[in-house]
Amino acid sequence: MSIYASTLGGERHRFDSLARLLAAASPERSGDRLAGLAASSAGERVAARWALAEVPLATFLTEPVIPYESDDVTRLILDTHDPLAFAPLAGMTVGELREWLLSEAADAETLAAVSPGLTPEMVAAVSKLMGNADLVAVARKVRVVTAFRSTIGLPGRLATRLQPNHPTDDPAGVAAALLDGLLLGSGDAVIGINPATDSPKAVRDLLELLDGVITRYAIPTQSCVLCHVTTSVDLMEGGAPVDLVFQSVAGTQAANASFGVTLGLLDEAYEAARGLDRGTVGENVMYFETGQGAALSAGAHHGVDQQTVEARAYAVARRYDPLLVNTVVGFIGPEYLYDGRQILRAALEDHFCGKLLGLPMGLDICYTNHADADDDDVATMLTMLGVAGASFVICTPGGDDIMLNYQSASYHDALYLREVLGLRPAPEFEAWLESIGLLDERGGIREVTAHPLTDIGRELAA
């Protein structure tokens, strides 16, 4: 095991493993402090960053932060590493990678070419040497385009997940939130419901409800009921109208086991969903959610800092070429990300790392009610991530999810972001909005007092 060291102000700092070095170099966050992994002082954090900048990228291929023999995510990362894609970067250190990423040489095409040669630990490491503006500047250059019934990630576009949750899965309540979102131009990434229970019948009822609305009104989008992957597999076998298969994933084998998930199970679900052939403009069929602190909360982080473990979750996601991946940055709570500043930093890190690894990254820009954060933090995060080129954001009615009891972005927030940054919905969805008279002459959402879509509420309530 290598020893890493640097001298700062005449004081020698030593780090006895790569994992320890990565943890000490991380920006301050409550989760790493809770786990006993955070730097003991600002001075130690700076010293760790000096040492980390000198680490050759090739070291991450020979010194895994979690042993190869005991973790299938580590095996996935190393076994699927592309040495040809890595070749242009193979002689670089972490610090040199940072400088290259910020240079004009690292354009969209070049970043896409080297992406298979980057490991999660490499991108997590370089993110620790970057300021917030650096993370925005590099992520903005990366383009990841995916498609099912709408195309996500094109330049100049911002998609949204319409999230019409209801605490009892009441069809009338779901219909009200669904109608609200559609009339405000939301839903081109996915119409996704977190069900109140994982009951197969309840999930199937919601799937059929959404499929009926999408089919009846010819909406170019996809639905997803965010149940456990085993429920989705069973429902697909029973003929349910499953568009996207959802699963929360994490960056270690043990953390995924706490979710009841294995790579083999995800393989099975992926093949089943592809076999349904329900997409019209593409065949990306998976939807993953992640979040810093998930492995730590499960006691499955193996002494690795929460941001590096989070980046490892993206290796799981990219195995399945997903339509959507989002980090639910503030949902786990202030034990892991204490306040708006820490949540913002985590959001920018996750978005940067996911895009560099080739994922269509979106975010649930959110916080729980016991965190030191507010709606202004949401607005700040939303704006910065819009500039950074996020593929999509999650939107809830009024920014308040009444089923999950947390605060997020609203449908109106997405309209704000599209307007100030000149962004538009996914092209297929934009054409649909125009065809039903919801776009004004400037391409904005038209205010309406009556519209044929309002029949959705009456039909579902009946």
Side-chain angles (χ1 to χ4, degrees), residues 297-322:
S297 67
H301 61 294
H302 299 280
V304 179
D305 70 272
Q306 67 181 39
Q307 188 249 336
T308 300
V309 173
E310 167 72 6
R312 285 168 53 93
Y314 306 151
V316 177
R318 75 172 170 179
R319 174 182 174 92
Y320 302 100
D321 197 16

mmCIF file with all atom_site columns, all heavy atoms in Angstrom, residues 297-322:
data_model
loop_
_atom_site.group_PDB
_atom_site.id
_atom_site.type_symbol
_atom_site.label_atom_id
_atom_site.label_alt_id
_atom_site.label_comp_id
_atom_site.label_asym_id
_atom_site.label_entity_id
_atom_site.label_seq_id
_atom_site.pdbx_PDB_ins_code
_atom_site.Cartn_x
_atom_site.Cartn_y
_atom_site.Cartn_z
_atom_site.occupancy
_atom_site.B_iso_or_equiv
_atom_site.pdbx_formal_charge
_atom_site.auth_seq_id
_atom_site.auth_comp_id
_atom_site.auth_asym_id
_atom_site.auth_atom_id
_atom_site.pdbx_PDB_model_num
ATOM 1   N N   . SER A 1 297 ? -24.968 5.507  4.799   1.00 0.00 ? 297 SER A N   1
ATOM 2   C CA  . SER A 1 297 ? -26.169 5.245  5.602   1.00 0.00 ? 297 SER A CA  1
ATOM 3   C C   . SER A 1 297 ? -26.437 3.754  5.722   1.00 0.00 ? 297 SER A C   1
ATOM 4   O O   . SER A 1 297 ? -27.091 3.308  6.675   1.00 0.00 ? 297 SER A O   1
ATOM 5   C CB  . SER A 1 297 ? -27.380 5.958  4.996   1.00 0.00 ? 297 SER A CB  1
ATOM 6   O OG  . SER A 1 297 ? -27.722 5.408  3.732   1.00 0.00 ? 297 SER A OG  1
ATOM 7   N N   . ALA A 1 298 ? -25.931 2.961  4.767   1.00 0.00 ? 298 ALA A N   1
ATOM 8   C CA  . ALA A 1 298 ? -26.087 1.509  4.818   1.00 0.00 ? 298 ALA A CA  1
ATOM 9   C C   . ALA A 1 298 ? -24.908 0.830  5.513   1.00 0.00 ? 298 ALA A C   1
ATOM 10  O O   . ALA A 1 298 ? -24.856 -0.400 5.593   1.00 0.00 ? 298 ALA A O   1
ATOM 11  C CB  . ALA A 1 298 ? -26.239 0.951  3.406   1.00 0.00 ? 298 ALA A CB  1
ATOM 12  N N   . GLY A 1 299 ? -23.949 1.618  6.001   1.00 0.00 ? 299 GLY A N   1
ATOM 13  C CA  . GLY A 1 299 ? -22.745 1.035  6.599   1.00 0.00 ? 299 GLY A CA  1
ATOM 14  C C   . GLY A 1 299 ? -21.933 0.251  5.601   1.00 0.00 ? 299 GLY A C   1
ATOM 15  O O   . GLY A 1 299 ? -21.293 -0.745 5.947   1.00 0.00 ? 299 GLY A O   1
ATOM 16  N N   . ALA A 1 300 ? -21.923 0.715  4.337   1.00 0.00 ? 300 ALA A N   1
ATOM 17  C CA  . ALA A 1 300 ? -21.324 -0.070 3.262   1.00 0.00 ? 300 ALA A CA  1
ATOM 18  C C   . ALA A 1 300 ? -20.354 0.768  2.438   1.00 0.00 ? 300 ALA A C   1
ATOM 19  O O   . ALA A 1 300 ? -20.200 0.550  1.240   1.00 0.00 ? 300 ALA A O   1
ATOM 20  C CB  . ALA A 1 300 ? -22.428 -0.625 2.355   1.00 0.00 ? 300 ALA A CB  1
ATOM 21  N N   . HIS A 1 301 ? -19.670 1.725  3.073   1.00 0.00 ? 301 HIS A N   1
ATOM 22  C CA  . HIS A 1 301 ? -18.789 2.636  2.336   1.00 0.00 ? 301 HIS A CA  1
ATOM 23  C C   . HIS A 1 301 ? -17.330 2.209  2.368   1.00 0.00 ? 301 HIS A C   1
ATOM 24  O O   . HIS A 1 301 ? -16.502 2.778  1.652   1.00 0.00 ? 301 HIS A O   1
ATOM 25  C CB  . HIS A 1 301 ? -18.925 4.048  2.896   1.00 0.00 ? 301 HIS A CB  1
ATOM 26  C CG  . HIS A 1 301 ? -18.536 4.165  4.335   1.00 0.00 ? 301 HIS A CG  1
ATOM 27  N ND1 . HIS A 1 301 ? -19.253 3.541  5.337   1.00 0.00 ? 301 HIS A ND1 1
ATOM 28  C CD2 . HIS A 1 301 ? -17.511 4.806  4.948   1.00 0.00 ? 301 HIS A CD2 1
ATOM 29  C CE1 . HIS A 1 301 ? -18.677 3.820  6.501   1.00 0.00 ? 301 HIS A CE1 1
ATOM 30  N NE2 . HIS A 1 301 ? -17.621 4.572  6.298   1.00 0.00 ? 301 HIS A NE2 1
ATOM 31  N N   . HIS A 1 302 ? -16.978 1.239  3.197   1.00 0.00 ? 302 HIS A N   1
ATOM 32  C CA  . HIS A 1 302 ? -15.618 0.679  3.237   1.00 0.00 ? 302 HIS A CA  1
ATOM 33  C C   . HIS A 1 302 ? -14.549 1.739  3.507   1.00 0.00 ? 302 HIS A C   1
ATOM 34  O O   . HIS A 1 302 ? -13.423 1.634  2.996   1.00 0.00 ? 302 HIS A O   1
ATOM 35  C CB  . HIS A 1 302 ? -15.298 -0.049 1.930   1.00 0.00 ? 302 HIS A CB  1
ATOM 36  C CG  . HIS A 1 302 ? -16.203 -1.212 1.632   1.00 0.00 ? 302 HIS A CG  1
ATOM 37  N ND1 . HIS A 1 302 ? -16.049 -2.449 2.223   1.00 0.00 ? 302 HIS A ND1 1
ATOM 38  C CD2 . HIS A 1 302 ? -17.280 -1.307 0.815   1.00 0.00 ? 302 HIS A CD2 1
ATOM 39  C CE1 . HIS A 1 302 ? -16.992 -3.260 1.769   1.00 0.00 ? 302 HIS A CE1 1
ATOM 40  N NE2 . HIS A 1 302 ? -17.755 -2.591 0.910   1.00 0.00 ? 302 HIS A NE2 1
ATOM 41  N N   . GLY A 1 303 ? -14.886 2.751  4.274   1.00 0.00 ? 303 GLY A N   1
ATOM 42  C CA  . GLY A 1 303 ? -13.899 3.772  4.588   1.00 0.00 ? 303 GLY A CA  1
ATOM 43  C C   . GLY A 1 303 ? -13.557 4.707  3.453   1.00 0.00 ? 303 GLY A C   1
ATOM 44  O O   . GLY A 1 303 ? -12.538 5.397  3.497   1.00 0.00 ? 303 GLY A O   1
ATOM 45  N N   . VAL A 1 304 ? -14.411 4.766  2.433   1.00 0.00 ? 304 VAL A N   1
ATOM 46  C CA  . VAL A 1 304 ? -14.203 5.640  1.281   1.00 0.00 ? 304 VAL A CA  1
ATOM 47  C C   . VAL A 1 304 ? -15.143 6.838  1.413   1.00 0.00 ? 304 VAL A C   1
ATOM 48  O O   . VAL A 1 304 ? -16.305 6.676  1.810   1.00 0.00 ? 304 VAL A O   1
ATOM 49  C CB  . VAL A 1 304 ? -14.456 4.891  -0.042  1.00 0.00 ? 304 VAL A CB  1
ATOM 50  C CG1 . VAL A 1 304 ? -14.261 5.806  -1.241  1.00 0.00 ? 304 VAL A CG1 1
ATOM 51  C CG2 . VAL A 1 304 ? -13.539 3.674  -0.133  1.00 0.00 ? 304 VAL A CG2 1
ATOM 52  N N   . ASP A 1 305 ? -14.666 8.033  1.078   1.00 0.00 ? 305 ASP A N   1
ATOM 53  C CA  . ASP A 1 305 ? -15.492 9.230  1.230   1.00 0.00 ? 305 ASP A CA  1
ATOM 54  C C   . ASP A 1 305 ? -16.734 9.147  0.343   1.00 0.00 ? 305 ASP A C   1
ATOM 55  O O   . ASP A 1 305 ? -16.761 8.461  -0.678  1.00 0.00 ? 305 ASP A O   1
ATOM 56  C CB  . ASP A 1 305 ? -14.677 10.484 0.904   1.00 0.00 ? 305 ASP A CB  1
ATOM 57  C CG  . ASP A 1 305 ? -14.347 10.598 -0.573  1.00 0.00 ? 305 ASP A CG  1
ATOM 58  O OD1 . ASP A 1 305 ? -13.305 10.045 -0.994  1.00 0.00 ? 305 ASP A OD1 1
ATOM 59  O OD2 . ASP A 1 305 ? -15.128 11.219 -1.312  1.00 0.00 ? 305 ASP A OD2 1
ATOM 60  N N   . GLN A 1 306 ? -17.766 9.884  0.760   1.00 0.00 ? 306 GLN A N   1
ATOM 61  C CA  . GLN A 1 306 ? -19.076 9.681  0.132   1.00 0.00 ? 306 GLN A CA  1
ATOM 62  C C   . GLN A 1 306 ? -19.115 10.159 -1.322  1.00 0.00 ? 306 GLN A C   1
ATOM 63  O O   . GLN A 1 306 ? -19.859 9.597  -2.136  1.00 0.00 ? 306 GLN A O   1
ATOM 64  C CB  . GLN A 1 306 ? -20.171 10.347 0.952   1.00 0.00 ? 306 GLN A CB  1
ATOM 65  C CG  . GLN A 1 306 ? -20.161 11.856 1.015   1.00 0.00 ? 306 GLN A CG  1
ATOM 66  C CD  . GLN A 1 306 ? -21.288 12.377 1.893   1.00 0.00 ? 306 GLN A CD  1
ATOM 67  O OE1 . GLN A 1 306 ? -21.619 11.816 2.946   1.00 0.00 ? 306 GLN A OE1 1
ATOM 68  N NE2 . GLN A 1 306 ? -21.918 13.463 1.476   1.00 0.00 ? 306 GLN A NE2 1
ATOM 69  N N   . GLN A 1 307 ? -18.321 11.140 -1.685  1.00 0.00 ? 307 GLN A N   1
ATOM 70  C CA  . GLN A 1 307 ? -18.364 11.586 -3.072  1.00 0.00 ? 307 GLN A CA  1
ATOM 71  C C   . GLN A 1 307 ? -17.687 10.571 -3.999  1.00 0.00 ? 307 GLN A C   1
ATOM 72  O O   . GLN A 1 307 ? -18.163 10.315 -5.108  1.00 0.00 ? 307 GLN A O   1
ATOM 73  C CB  . GLN A 1 307 ? -17.699 12.954 -3.210  1.00 0.00 ? 307 GLN A CB  1
ATOM 74  C CG  . GLN A 1 307 ? -17.872 13.574 -4.597  1.00 0.00 ? 307 GLN A CG  1
ATOM 75  C CD  . GLN A 1 307 ? -16.587 13.633 -5.391  1.00 0.00 ? 307 GLN A CD  1
ATOM 76  O OE1 . GLN A 1 307 ? -15.493 13.644 -4.822  1.00 0.00 ? 307 GLN A OE1 1
ATOM 77  N NE2 . GLN A 1 307 ? -16.708 13.678 -6.703  1.00 0.00 ? 307 GLN A NE2 1
ATOM 78  N N   . THR A 1 308 ? -16.594 9.963  -3.556  1.00 0.00 ? 308 THR A N   1
ATOM 79  C CA  . THR A 1 308 ? -15.936 8.938  -4.374  1.00 0.00 ? 308 THR A CA  1
ATOM 80  C C   . THR A 1 308 ? -16.831 7.715  -4.517  1.00 0.00 ? 308 THR A C   1
ATOM 81  O O   . THR A 1 308 ? -16.946 7.134  -5.609  1.00 0.00 ? 308 THR A O   1
ATOM 82  C CB  . THR A 1 308 ? -14.583 8.555  -3.755  1.00 0.00 ? 308 THR A CB  1
ATOM 83  O OG1 . THR A 1 308 ? -13.744 9.713  -3.698  1.00 0.00 ? 308 THR A OG1 1
ATOM 84  C CG2 . THR A 1 308 ? -13.884 7.489  -4.581  1.00 0.00 ? 308 THR A CG2 1
ATOM 85  N N   . VAL A 1 309 ? -17.500 7.316  -3.434  1.00 0.00 ? 309 VAL A N   1
ATOM 86  C CA  . VAL A 1 309 ? -18.437 6.191  -3.519  1.00 0.00 ? 309 VAL A CA  1
ATOM 87  C C   . VAL A 1 309 ? -19.584 6.523  -4.468  1.00 0.00 ? 309 VAL A C   1
ATOM 88  O O   . VAL A 1 309 ? -20.029 5.676  -5.254  1.00 0.00 ? 309 VAL A O   1
ATOM 89  C CB  . VAL A 1 309 ? -18.976 5.814  -2.122  1.00 0.00 ? 309 VAL A CB  1
ATOM 90  C CG1 . VAL A 1 309 ? -20.070 4.761  -2.232  1.00 0.00 ? 309 VAL A CG1 1
ATOM 91  C CG2 . VAL A 1 309 ? -17.854 5.283  -1.239  1.00 0.00 ? 309 VAL A CG2 1
ATOM 92  N N   . GLU A 1 310 ? -20.056 7.755  -4.416  1.00 0.00 ? 310 GLU A N   1
ATOM 93  C CA  . GLU A 1 310 ? -21.119 8.176  -5.332  1.00 0.00 ? 310 GLU A CA  1
ATOM 94  C C   . GLU A 1 310 ? -20.664 8.041  -6.782  1.00 0.00 ? 310 GLU A C   1
ATOM 95  O O   . GLU A 1 310 ? -21.405 7.522  -7.632  1.00 0.00 ? 310 GLU A O   1
ATOM 96  C CB  . GLU A 1 310 ? -21.506 9.622  -5.032  1.00 0.00 ? 310 GLU A CB  1
ATOM 97  C CG  . GLU A 1 310 ? -22.361 10.307 -6.080  1.00 0.00 ? 310 GLU A CG  1
ATOM 98  C CD  . GLU A 1 310 ? -23.798 9.832  -6.153  1.00 0.00 ? 310 GLU A CD  1
ATOM 99  O OE1 . GLU A 1 310 ? -24.190 9.016  -5.297  1.00 0.00 ? 310 GLU A OE1 1
ATOM 100 O OE2 . GLU A 1 310 ? -24.531 10.250 -7.059  1.00 0.00 ? 310 GLU A OE2 1
ATOM 101 N N   . ALA A 1 311 ? -19.453 8.492  -7.095  1.00 0.00 ? 311 ALA A N   1
ATOM 102 C CA  . ALA A 1 311 ? -18.963 8.381  -8.468  1.00 0.00 ? 311 ALA A CA  1
ATOM 103 C C   . ALA A 1 311 ? -18.893 6.922  -8.918  1.00 0.00 ? 311 ALA A C   1
ATOM 104 O O   . ALA A 1 311 ? -19.130 6.607  -10.090 1.00 0.00 ? 311 ALA A O   1
ATOM 105 C CB  . ALA A 1 311 ? -17.595 9.055  -8.594  1.00 0.00 ? 311 ALA A CB  1
ATOM 106 N N   . ARG A 1 312 ? -18.583 6.015  -7.984  1.00 0.00 ? 312 ARG A N   1
ATOM 107 C CA  . ARG A 1 312 ? -18.545 4.592  -8.336  1.00 0.00 ? 312 ARG A CA  1
ATOM 108 C C   . ARG A 1 312 ? -19.924 4.072  -8.736  1.00 0.00 ? 312 ARG A C   1
ATOM 109 O O   . ARG A 1 312 ? -20.036 3.128  -9.530  1.00 0.00 ? 312 ARG A O   1
ATOM 110 C CB  . ARG A 1 312 ? -17.976 3.785  -7.168  1.00 0.00 ? 312 ARG A CB  1
ATOM 111 C CG  . ARG A 1 312 ? -16.469 3.917  -6.986  1.00 0.00 ? 312 ARG A CG  1
ATOM 112 C CD  . ARG A 1 312 ? -16.019 3.345  -5.651  1.00 0.00 ? 312 ARG A CD  1
ATOM 113 N NE  . ARG A 1 312 ? -16.467 1.978  -5.442  1.00 0.00 ? 312 ARG A NE  1
ATOM 114 C CZ  . ARG A 1 312 ? -15.768 0.885  -5.749  1.00 0.00 ? 312 ARG A CZ  1
ATOM 115 N NH1 . ARG A 1 312 ? -14.554 1.009  -6.295  1.00 0.00 ? 312 ARG A NH1 1
ATOM 116 N NH2 . ARG A 1 312 ? -16.252 -0.319 -5.521  1.00 0.00 ? 312 ARG A NH2 1
ATOM 117 N N   . ALA A 1 313 ? -20.979 4.667  -8.209  1.00 0.00 ? 313 ALA A N   1
ATOM 118 C CA  . ALA A 1 313 ? -22.324 4.261  -8.617  1.00 0.00 ? 313 ALA A CA  1
ATOM 119 C C   . ALA A 1 313 ? -22.543 4.513  -10.107 1.00 0.00 ? 313 ALA A C   1
ATOM 120 O O   . ALA A 1 313 ? -23.333 3.814  -10.760 1.00 0.00 ? 313 ALA A O   1
ATOM 121 C CB  . ALA A 1 313 ? -23.376 5.012  -7.799  1.00 0.00 ? 313 ALA A CB  1
ATOM 122 N N   . TYR A 1 314 ? -21.835 5.501  -10.660 1.00 0.00 ? 314 TYR A N   1
ATOM 123 C CA  . TYR A 1 314 ? -22.004 5.801  -12.072 1.00 0.00 ? 314 TYR A CA  1
ATOM 124 C C   . TYR A 1 314 ? -21.411 4.713  -12.965 1.00 0.00 ? 314 TYR A C   1
ATOM 125 O O   . TYR A 1 314 ? -21.804 4.578  -14.129 1.00 0.00 ? 314 TYR A O   1
ATOM 126 C CB  . TYR A 1 314 ? -21.386 7.164  -12.404 1.00 0.00 ? 314 TYR A CB  1
ATOM 127 C CG  . TYR A 1 314 ? -21.909 8.292  -11.535 1.00 0.00 ? 314 TYR A CG  1
ATOM 128 C CD1 . TYR A 1 314 ? -21.129 9.395  -11.241 1.00 0.00 ? 314 TYR A CD1 1
ATOM 129 C CD2 . TYR A 1 314 ? -23.191 8.235  -10.986 1.00 0.00 ? 314 TYR A CD2 1
ATOM 130 C CE1 . TYR A 1 314 ? -21.602 10.423 -10.444 1.00 0.00 ? 314 TYR A CE1 1
ATOM 131 C CE2 . TYR A 1 314 ? -23.671 9.249  -10.175 1.00 0.00 ? 314 TYR A CE2 1
ATOM 132 C CZ  . TYR A 1 314 ? -22.870 10.342 -9.902  1.00 0.00 ? 314 TYR A CZ  1
ATOM 133 O OH  . TYR A 1 314 ? -23.339 11.359 -9.108  1.00 0.00 ? 314 TYR A OH  1
ATOM 134 N N   . ALA A 1 315 ? -20.471 3.944  -12.429 1.00 0.00 ? 315 ALA A N   1
ATOM 135 C CA  . ALA A 1 315 ? -19.967 2.798  -13.189 1.00 0.00 ? 315 ALA A CA  1
ATOM 136 C C   . ALA A 1 315 ? -21.056 1.749  -13.346 1.00 0.00 ? 315 ALA A C   1
ATOM 137 O O   . ALA A 1 315 ? -21.172 1.089  -14.385 1.00 0.00 ? 315 ALA A O   1
ATOM 138 C CB  . ALA A 1 315 ? -18.748 2.197  -12.497 1.00 0.00 ? 315 ALA A CB  1
ATOM 139 N N   . VAL A 1 316 ? -21.855 1.559  -12.289 1.00 0.00 ? 316 VAL A N   1
ATOM 140 C CA  . VAL A 1 316 ? -22.994 0.645  -12.380 1.00 0.00 ? 316 VAL A CA  1
ATOM 141 C C   . VAL A 1 316 ? -23.970 1.151  -13.430 1.00 0.00 ? 316 VAL A C   1
ATOM 142 O O   . VAL A 1 316 ? -24.426 0.407  -14.306 1.00 0.00 ? 316 VAL A O   1
ATOM 143 C CB  . VAL A 1 316 ? -23.683 0.498  -11.009 1.00 0.00 ? 316 VAL A CB  1
ATOM 144 C CG1 . VAL A 1 316 ? -24.918 -0.398 -11.120 1.00 0.00 ? 316 VAL A CG1 1
ATOM 145 C CG2 . VAL A 1 316 ? -22.705 -0.058 -9.970  1.00 0.00 ? 316 VAL A CG2 1
ATOM 146 N N   . ALA A 1 317 ? -24.280 2.448  -13.378 1.00 0.00 ? 317 ALA A N   1
ATOM 147 C CA  . ALA A 1 317 ? -25.273 3.007  -14.293 1.00 0.00 ? 317 ALA A CA  1
ATOM 148 C C   . ALA A 1 317 ? -24.823 2.907  -15.746 1.00 0.00 ? 317 ALA A C   1
ATOM 149 O O   . ALA A 1 317 ? -25.607 2.527  -16.622 1.00 0.00 ? 317 ALA A O   1
ATOM 150 C CB  . ALA A 1 317 ? -25.557 4.460  -13.916 1.00 0.00 ? 317 ALA A CB  1
ATOM 151 N N   . ARG A 1 318 ? -23.561 3.217  -16.027 1.00 0.00 ? 318 ARG A N   1
ATOM 152 C CA  . ARG A 1 318 ? -23.163 3.276  -17.437 1.00 0.00 ? 318 ARG A CA  1
ATOM 153 C C   . ARG A 1 318 ? -23.064 1.893  -18.069 1.00 0.00 ? 318 ARG A C   1
ATOM 154 O O   . ARG A 1 318 ? -23.046 1.783  -19.295 1.00 0.00 ? 318 ARG A O   1
ATOM 155 C CB  . ARG A 1 318 ? -21.871 4.062  -17.618 1.00 0.00 ? 318 ARG A CB  1
ATOM 156 C CG  . ARG A 1 318 ? -20.576 3.426  -17.218 1.00 0.00 ? 318 ARG A CG  1
ATOM 157 C CD  . ARG A 1 318 ? -19.403 4.310  -17.661 1.00 0.00 ? 318 ARG A CD  1
ATOM 158 N NE  . ARG A 1 318 ? -18.136 3.863  -17.108 1.00 0.00 ? 318 ARG A NE  1
ATOM 159 C CZ  . ARG A 1 318 ? -16.968 4.472  -17.371 1.00 0.00 ? 318 ARG A CZ  1
ATOM 160 N NH1 . ARG A 1 318 ? -16.926 5.527  -18.172 1.00 0.00 ? 318 ARG A NH1 1
ATOM 161 N NH2 . ARG A 1 318 ? -15.852 4.024  -16.833 1.00 0.00 ? 318 ARG A NH2 1
ATOM 162 N N   . ARG A 1 319 ? -23.043 0.857  -17.262 1.00 0.00 ? 319 ARG A N   1
ATOM 163 C CA  . ARG A 1 319 ? -23.075 -0.504 -17.807 1.00 0.00 ? 319 ARG A CA  1
ATOM 164 C C   . ARG A 1 319 ? -24.339 -0.730 -18.636 1.00 0.00 ? 319 ARG A C   1
ATOM 165 O O   . ARG A 1 319 ? -24.338 -1.548 -19.575 1.00 0.00 ? 319 ARG A O   1
ATOM 166 C CB  . ARG A 1 319 ? -23.021 -1.506 -16.643 1.00 0.00 ? 319 ARG A CB  1
ATOM 167 C CG  . ARG A 1 319 ? -23.199 -2.976 -17.014 1.00 0.00 ? 319 ARG A CG  1
ATOM 168 C CD  . ARG A 1 319 ? -23.168 -3.814 -15.754 1.00 0.00 ? 319 ARG A CD  1
ATOM 169 N NE  . ARG A 1 319 ? -23.460 -5.218 -15.937 1.00 0.00 ? 319 ARG A NE  1
ATOM 170 C CZ  . ARG A 1 319 ? -22.540 -6.166 -16.161 1.00 0.00 ? 319 ARG A CZ  1
ATOM 171 N NH1 . ARG A 1 319 ? -21.269 -5.827 -16.262 1.00 0.00 ? 319 ARG A NH1 1
ATOM 172 N NH2 . ARG A 1 319 ? -22.885 -7.432 -16.280 1.00 0.00 ? 319 ARG A NH2 1
ATOM 173 N N   . TYR A 1 320 ? -25.417 0.021  -18.322 1.00 0.00 ? 320 TYR A N   1
ATOM 174 C CA  . TYR A 1 320 ? -26.730 -0.258 -18.920 1.00 0.00 ? 320 TYR A CA  1
ATOM 175 C C   . TYR A 1 320 ? -27.196 0.839  -19.876 1.00 0.00 ? 320 TYR A C   1
ATOM 176 O O   . TYR A 1 320 ? -28.364 0.846  -20.252 1.00 0.00 ? 320 TYR A O   1
ATOM 177 C CB  . TYR A 1 320 ? -27.755 -0.483 -17.800 1.00 0.00 ? 320 TYR A CB  1
ATOM 178 C CG  . TYR A 1 320 ? -27.352 -1.617 -16.902 1.00 0.00 ? 320 TYR A CG  1
ATOM 179 C CD1 . TYR A 1 320 ? -26.750 -1.368 -15.669 1.00 0.00 ? 320 TYR A CD1 1
ATOM 180 C CD2 . TYR A 1 320 ? -27.496 -2.939 -17.313 1.00 0.00 ? 320 TYR A CD2 1
ATOM 181 C CE1 . TYR A 1 320 ? -26.335 -2.409 -14.848 1.00 0.00 ? 320 TYR A CE1 1
ATOM 182 C CE2 . TYR A 1 320 ? -27.078 -3.979 -16.505 1.00 0.00 ? 320 TYR A CE2 1
ATOM 183 C CZ  . TYR A 1 320 ? -26.496 -3.714 -15.280 1.00 0.00 ? 320 TYR A CZ  1
ATOM 184 O OH  . TYR A 1 320 ? -26.066 -4.751 -14.476 1.00 0.00 ? 320 TYR A OH  1
ATOM 185 N N   . ASP A 1 321 ? -26.316 1.759  -20.254 1.00 0.00 ? 321 ASP A N   1
ATOM 186 C CA  . ASP A 1 321 ? -26.642 2.761  -21.266 1.00 0.00 ? 321 ASP A CA  1
ATOM 187 C C   . ASP A 1 321 ? -28.015 3.389  -20.987 1.00 0.00 ? 321 ASP A C   1
ATOM 188 O O   . ASP A 1 321 ? -28.918 3.334  -21.821 1.00 0.00 ? 321 ASP A O   1
ATOM 189 C CB  . ASP A 1 321 ? -26.626 2.100  -22.651 1.00 0.00 ? 321 ASP A CB  1
ATOM 190 C CG  . ASP A 1 321 ? -26.541 3.125  -23.779 1.00 0.00 ? 321 ASP A CG  1
ATOM 191 O OD1 . ASP A 1 321 ? -26.201 4.284  -23.516 1.00 0.00 ? 321 ASP A OD1 1
ATOM 192 O OD2 . ASP A 1 321 ? -26.857 2.752  -24.928 1.00 0.00 ? 321 ASP A OD2 1
ATOM 193 N N   . PRO A 1 322 ? -28.191 4.031  -19.826 1.00 0.00 ? 322 PRO A N   1
ATOM 194 C CA  . PRO A 1 322 ? -29.530 4.466  -19.407 1.00 0.00 ? 322 PRO A CA  1
ATOM 195 C C   . PRO A 1 322 ? -30.031 5.693  -20.166 1.00 0.00 ? 322 PRO A C   1
ATOM 196 O O   . PRO A 1 322 ? -29.252 6.469  -20.730 1.00 0.00 ? 322 PRO A O   1
ATOM 197 C CB  . PRO A 1 322 ? -29.326 4.806  -17.927 1.00 0.00 ? 322 PRO A CB  1
ATOM 198 C CG  . PRO A 1 322 ? -27.895 5.218  -17.838 1.00 0.00 ? 322 PRO A CG  1
ATOM 199 C CD  . PRO A 1 322 ? -27.168 4.324  -18.818 1.00 0.00 ? 322 PRO A CD  1
#
